[in-house]
Amino acid sequence: MIEPYSTGDLKVSDVHTLYYEQCGNPKGKPVVFLHGGPGGGISSTDRCFFDPDFYRIILFDQRGSGKSKPSADLTDNTTWDIVNDIERLREKLEVPKWLVFGGSWGSCLALAYSQKHAERVVGLVLRGIFTLRKTELDFFYQNGASHIHPEAFEEYLAPVPEEERGDMVKAYNKLLNSENDDVRVEAAKAWSKWEMVTSKLIVDPADVQKAAEDTWANAFARIENHFFINEGWMEQGQLLKKENVDKIKHIPCTIVQGRYDIVCPFKTAWDLHKQWPESKLQVVSNAGHSSREVKTLELLVEATDEYRALTW
C-alpha cells in the first residue's frame, strides 16, 4: 500500500476547505488524480495507478466530498469552481505542469480543466468518458440502463412517485434536498446503490455495501444530482466541440474504456476519439465502468508507465 508522505487542507472559499494528500516520490514528476462522482471522494486504492518511485502523486477530495469540509455542501459547488480549485492546488504545491488522470466524472473534469489550462497539462489519462450531455444522463438515469439491470432499476425508481418518473434527475433533486432527514437519506442510498450495482461487469457486493453508508451516500448522491440537474454549468456538448478539443489536441492522451460500461457508455468515448483522432483509445472487451476491473486497471497502469517518458 502506498501511504501519503504529506496531507493538508486548502481553503478555497468562505465555505469550502479541501483535503489533499501527496504520495510517492516528493521529487518525482507530478500527477493529479481527479476522482469520480462528482461527490465520490478519493480512497487509498486510487494511489495504485502510479509508479511511486517516479511520480509525485497528488490526490484531493473535491468540494463537499470525502474529507473536505463541509460534507455534501452544494454552496458554490460547480464544475468551474472545481476547475479553479485544481489551479489553486497546483499553485499551492508549486507544480509548474502535471499529468492529469481522471475517470468517469473525473474525465469530464480533466477535459474541462485542460481545455482551460492546457499550458499546465503534459498529458491526460482518461477512463470511462463522461461529458455530462443530456443523452448520457438519460441513458443511465431515465431508461437505457434499465434494460440491463431491470431489478436494480426498480429499486432506484421506488422512492419516486410514479407520476414524477418522467424526469428522474428532477424527482431525485426534490428528495435529496428534502428537509426530512429520513427522506433525504433513503433517496441518497437508492441513487447511490443504482450506480454501485451497475459499475462493474460483475456486480461487486463491496461496492453495493458502500452505498448503504449514510454519510458517503448523502454526499455522493446530493452532489451528483446537483451537478446533473444544472447540466454541469456547461453548454450541451461543450467539451466535445471542435474548437474546445482543438485547444488540447497537442497533449498526449490515452483513453481506457470498458466496452460494457453502462454508467458512461462507450459511445461518449467514441465521440471524443472521433473529434480527437490523435488520442489513443483502448477498449476493454471484458469490462464495465470501474477502474478496478482487471484489464482496465492494467491498461491504466501501462498508460501512466508509458507517460514517464513525457517532458515536463
Side-chain angles (χ1 to χ4, degrees):
M1 179 66 70
I2 304 168
E3 296 296 336
Y5 65 79
S6 78
T7 63
D9 295 309
L10 175 63
K11 189 169 180 59
V12 291
S13 76
D14 292 340
V15 175
H16 293 281
T17 299
L18 307 185
Y19 167 82
Y20 68 89
E21 59 186 39
Q22 298 187 82
C23 312
N25 183 352
K27 296 183 180 179
K29 297 301 184 182
V31 56
V32 63
F33 176 90
L34 304 179
H35 69 67
I42 58 174
S43 72
S44 59
T45 55
D46 295 328
R47 307 162 192 161
C48 71
F49 302 107
F50 315 101
D51 177 353
D53 293 326
F54 181 84
Y55 283 109
R56 177 186 173 191
I57 308 161
I58 300 164
L59 309 94
F60 73 100
D61 287 321
Q62 296 159 28
R63 295 186 182 206
S65 306
K67 296 179 182 177
S68 291
K69 305 294 183 185
S71 177
D73 197 292
L74 307 181
T75 309
D76 300 329
N77 198 345
T78 74
T79 302
W80 305 109
D81 287 317
I82 300 176
V83 165
N84 291 337
D85 292 347
I86 298 169
E87 266 299 274
R88 289 189 184 96
L89 183 61
R90 184 192 63 77
E91 292 170 353
K92 177 179 176 62
L93 299 179
E94 299 180 342
V95 172
K97 295 183 177 182
W98 48 14
L99 177 65
V100 177
F101 182 110
S104 192
W105 158 251
S107 73
C108 183
L109 189 56
L111 289 168
Y113 173 78
S114 61
Q115 288 174 8
K116 188 173 181 181
H117 299 286
E119 73 284 359
R120 301 301 182 187
V121 180
V122 298
L124 287 160
V125 178
L126 307 177
R127 188 267 315 162
I129 304 304
F130 177 57
T131 63
L132 232 164
R133 293 177 296 181
K134 190 174 188 305
T135 53
E136 299 168 44
L137 295 174
D138 283 350
F139 177 87
F140 187 63
Y141 291 106
Q142 201 58 44
N143 49 40
S146 68
H147 294 269
I148 300 166
H149 288 275
E151 73 281 33
F153 193 75
E154 286 190 8
E155 290 187 44
Y156 160 72
L157 289 175
V160 177
E162 193 165 348
E163 65 273 13
E164 296 180 23
R165 293 176 183 174
D167 187 337
M168 290 293 288
V169 171
K170 182 179 178 181
Y172 260 97
N173 185 260
K174 178 180 175 181
L175 297 173
L176 292 167
N177 290 285
S178 171
E179 294 182 0
N180 184 312
D181 289 346
D182 292 338
V183 169
R184 191 170 62 250
V185 171
E186 179 192 7
K189 289 181 176 180
W191 174 284
S192 302
K193 184 178 180 181
W194 170 235
E195 187 160 337
M196 294 302 103
V197 167
T198 53
S199 283
K200 289 180 180 173
L201 191 59
I202 307 299
V203 179
D204 187 338
D207 289 343
V208 178
Q209 182 59 37
K210 191 172 186 179
E213 300 170 9
D214 290 11
T215 300
W216 186 87
N218 189 51
F220 184 74
R222 292 191 75 227
I223 295 172
E224 272 201 339
N225 181 274
H226 168 68
F227 273 71
F228 298 164
I229 201 166
N230 286 290
E231 300 181 347
W233 298 269
M234 294 185 287
E235 298 175 16
Q236 278 294 306
Q238 177 176 329
L239 300 177
L240 294 173
K241 288 186 175 179
K242 182 180 185 302
E243 61 267 28
N244 291 325
V245 175
D246 283 350
K247 296 173 184 176
I248 56 175
K249 275 197 171 181
H250 63 286
I251 299 173
C253 175
T254 296
I255 300 167
V256 178
Q257 179 73 37
R259 168 68 71 183
Y260 300 105
D261 186 340
I262 63 171
V263 179
C264 298
F266 175 57
K267 176 67 162 60
T268 304
W270 184 244
D271 289 345
L272 176 62
H273 181 60
K274 284 198 301 181
Q275 193 68 270
W276 191 0
E278 298 86 354
S279 63
K280 180 180 180 180
L281 174 61
Q282 296 187 290
V283 183
V284 187
S285 62
N286 59 347
H289 180 64
S290 175
S291 62
R292 306 297 192 274
E293 290 171 286
V294 175
K295 188 60 178 180
T296 301
L297 175 58
E298 179 184 313
L299 290 174
L300 290 169
V301 171
E302 283 183 8
T304 61
D305 282 349
E306 178 184 345
Y307 283 178
R308 291 178 299 190
L310 293 174
T311 302
W312 264 257

